[in-house]
PDB file of all heavy atoms in Angstrom:
ATOM      1  N   HIS A 188     143.765 204.301  16.067  1.00  0.00           N
ATOM      2  CA  HIS A 188     142.968 203.073  15.997  1.00  0.00           C
ATOM      3  C   HIS A 188     141.494 203.368  16.234  1.00  0.00           C
ATOM      4  O   HIS A 188     140.617 202.825  15.558  1.00  0.00           O
ATOM      5  CB  HIS A 188     143.493 202.076  17.033  1.00  0.00           C
ATOM      6  CG  HIS A 188     142.796 200.758  17.001  1.00  0.00           C
ATOM      7  ND1 HIS A 188     142.562 200.019  18.144  1.00  0.00           N
ATOM      8  CD2 HIS A 188     142.264 200.041  15.976  1.00  0.00           C
ATOM      9  CE1 HIS A 188     141.937 198.908  17.820  1.00  0.00           C
ATOM     10  NE2 HIS A 188     141.743 198.893  16.511  1.00  0.00           N
ATOM     11  N   VAL A 189     141.211 204.259  17.171  1.00  0.00           N
ATOM     12  CA  VAL A 189     139.821 204.632  17.435  1.00  0.00           C
ATOM     13  C   VAL A 189     139.229 205.373  16.241  1.00  0.00           C
ATOM     14  O   VAL A 189     138.076 205.152  15.855  1.00  0.00           O
ATOM     15  CB  VAL A 189     139.738 205.490  18.709  1.00  0.00           C
ATOM     16  CG1 VAL A 189     138.327 206.010  18.925  1.00  0.00           C
ATOM     17  CG2 VAL A 189     140.194 204.691  19.923  1.00  0.00           C
ATOM     18  N   GLU A 190     140.022 206.246  15.631  1.00  0.00           N
ATOM     19  CA  GLU A 190     139.530 207.018  14.487  1.00  0.00           C
ATOM     20  C   GLU A 190     139.315 206.156  13.253  1.00  0.00           C
ATOM     21  O   GLU A 190     138.642 206.590  12.313  1.00  0.00           O
ATOM     22  CB  GLU A 190     140.518 208.141  14.170  1.00  0.00           C
ATOM     23  CG  GLU A 190     140.603 209.207  15.252  1.00  0.00           C
ATOM     24  CD  GLU A 190     141.636 210.271  14.931  1.00  0.00           C
ATOM     25  OE1 GLU A 190     142.320 210.116  13.892  1.00  0.00           O
ATOM     26  OE2 GLU A 190     141.758 211.237  15.703  1.00  0.00           O
ATOM     27  N   SER A 191     139.873 204.952  13.241  1.00  0.00           N
ATOM     28  CA  SER A 191     139.699 204.072  12.083  1.00  0.00           C
ATOM     29  C   SER A 191     138.343 203.392  12.054  1.00  0.00           C
ATOM     30  O   SER A 191     138.062 202.621  11.139  1.00  0.00           O
ATOM     31  CB  SER A 191     140.794 202.999  12.082  1.00  0.00           C
ATOM     32  OG  SER A 191     140.605 202.087  13.158  1.00  0.00           O
ATOM     33  N   ALA A 192     137.521 203.641  13.073  1.00  0.00           N
ATOM     34  CA  ALA A 192     136.178 203.058  13.159  1.00  0.00           C
ATOM     35  C   ALA A 192     136.210 201.558  13.400  1.00  0.00           C
ATOM     36  O   ALA A 192     135.265 200.847  13.054  1.00  0.00           O
ATOM     37  CB  ALA A 192     135.359 203.372  11.912  1.00  0.00           C
ATOM     38  N   CYS A 193     137.279 201.059  14.005  1.00  0.00           N
ATOM     39  CA  CYS A 193     137.308 199.651  14.393  1.00  0.00           C
ATOM     40  C   CYS A 193     136.333 199.449  15.549  1.00  0.00           C
ATOM     41  O   CYS A 193     136.416 200.164  16.554  1.00  0.00           O
ATOM     42  CB  CYS A 193     138.722 199.237  14.805  1.00  0.00           C
ATOM     43  SG  CYS A 193     138.841 197.539  15.424  1.00  0.00           S
ATOM     44  N   PRO A 194     135.414 198.517  15.464  1.00  0.00           N
ATOM     45  CA  PRO A 194     134.410 198.378  16.525  1.00  0.00           C
ATOM     46  C   PRO A 194     134.984 197.947  17.864  1.00  0.00           C
ATOM     47  O   PRO A 194     134.378 198.199  18.904  1.00  0.00           O
ATOM     48  CB  PRO A 194     133.456 197.316  15.965  1.00  0.00           C
ATOM     49  CG  PRO A 194     134.259 196.571  14.960  1.00  0.00           C
ATOM     50  CD  PRO A 194     135.216 197.554  14.376  1.00  0.00           C
ATOM     51  N   ALA A 195     136.161 197.315  17.869  1.00  0.00           N
ATOM     52  CA  ALA A 195     136.752 196.871  19.129  1.00  0.00           C
ATOM     53  C   ALA A 195     137.585 197.947  19.799  1.00  0.00           C
ATOM     54  O   ALA A 195     137.961 197.796  20.955  1.00  0.00           O
ATOM     55  CB  ALA A 195     137.617 195.634  18.898  1.00  0.00           C
ATOM     56  N   ALA A 196     137.882 199.043  19.082  1.00  0.00           N
ATOM     57  CA  ALA A 196     138.739 200.086  19.654  1.00  0.00           C
ATOM     58  C   ALA A 196     138.074 200.763  20.841  1.00  0.00           C
ATOM     59  O   ALA A 196     138.717 201.025  21.862  1.00  0.00           O
ATOM     60  CB  ALA A 196     139.091 201.110  18.580  1.00  0.00           C
ATOM     61  N   ALA A 197     136.787 201.035  20.729  1.00  0.00           N
ATOM     62  CA  ALA A 197     136.076 201.701  21.819  1.00  0.00           C
ATOM     63  C   ALA A 197     135.788 200.769  22.983  1.00  0.00           C
ATOM     64  O   ALA A 197     135.373 201.228  24.049  1.00  0.00           O
ATOM     65  CB  ALA A 197     134.770 202.294  21.301  1.00  0.00           C
ATOM     66  N   LEU A 198     136.021 199.471  22.800  1.00  0.00           N
ATOM     67  CA  LEU A 198     135.747 198.495  23.852  1.00  0.00           C
ATOM     68  C   LEU A 198     137.013 198.073  24.590  1.00  0.00           C
ATOM     69  O   LEU A 198     136.987 197.108  25.346  1.00  0.00           O
ATOM     70  CB  LEU A 198     135.057 197.266  23.251  1.00  0.00           C
ATOM     71  CG  LEU A 198     133.702 197.539  22.585  1.00  0.00           C
ATOM     72  CD1 LEU A 198     133.165 196.277  21.944  1.00  0.00           C
ATOM     73  CD2 LEU A 198     132.702 198.083  23.600  1.00  0.00           C
ATOM     74  N   GLY A 199     138.115 198.772  24.358  1.00  0.00           N
ATOM     75  CA  GLY A 199     139.330 198.515  25.127  1.00  0.00           C
ATOM     76  C   GLY A 199     140.290 197.531  24.510  1.00  0.00           C
ATOM     77  O   GLY A 199     141.024 196.861  25.241  1.00  0.00           O
TER      78      GLY A 199
END
Side-chain angles (χ1 to χ4, degrees):
H188 183 215
V189 174
E190 293 178 356
S191 69
C193 176
L198 299 176

